[in-house]
Amino acid sequence: MPTGTVKFFNTDKGYGFISNEDGSGDAFVHITAVERAGMGTLNKDQRITYDLETDQRGKTSAVNLQSA
């Protein structure tokens, strides 16, 4: 499970990005993944563990979020 730090999250727009700790780039995160994790929002610099999932369109996003 990758670990990263929240780079940006906009609750109004419903998305943000997590910067991966291993330097492999940023992971897109959608508000639905945040809500499924029981979180109301993500805060800048918050440490998160997550899985990466690719949807039918080939877009990859962070899911199964947990506070690290």
Side-chain angles (χ1 to χ4, degrees):
M1 208 175 217
T3 301
T5 304
V6 177
K7 185 175 185 177
F8 157 84
F9 191 80
N10 185 314
T11 306
D12 294 332
K13 292 185 179 184
Y15 72 92
F17 293 92
I18 299 169
S19 180
N20 196 325
E21 219 172 54
D22 71 5
S24 63
D26 296 342
F28 175 83
V29 60
H30 193 265
I31 188 70
T32 55
V34 175
E35 291 169 346
R36 275 189 228 124
M39 302 174 185
T41 189
L42 297 176
N43 299 308
K44 183 173 171 43
D45 298 326
Q46 180 179 354
R47 289 196 44 172
I48 297 287
T49 60
Y50 57 95
D51 291 319
L52 291 174
E53 179 177 273
T54 304
D55 67 16
Q56 296 172 352
R57 299 170 299 175
K59 303 287 184 182
T60 303
S61 61
V63 294
N64 303 324
L65 307 175
Q66 297 177 8
S67 289

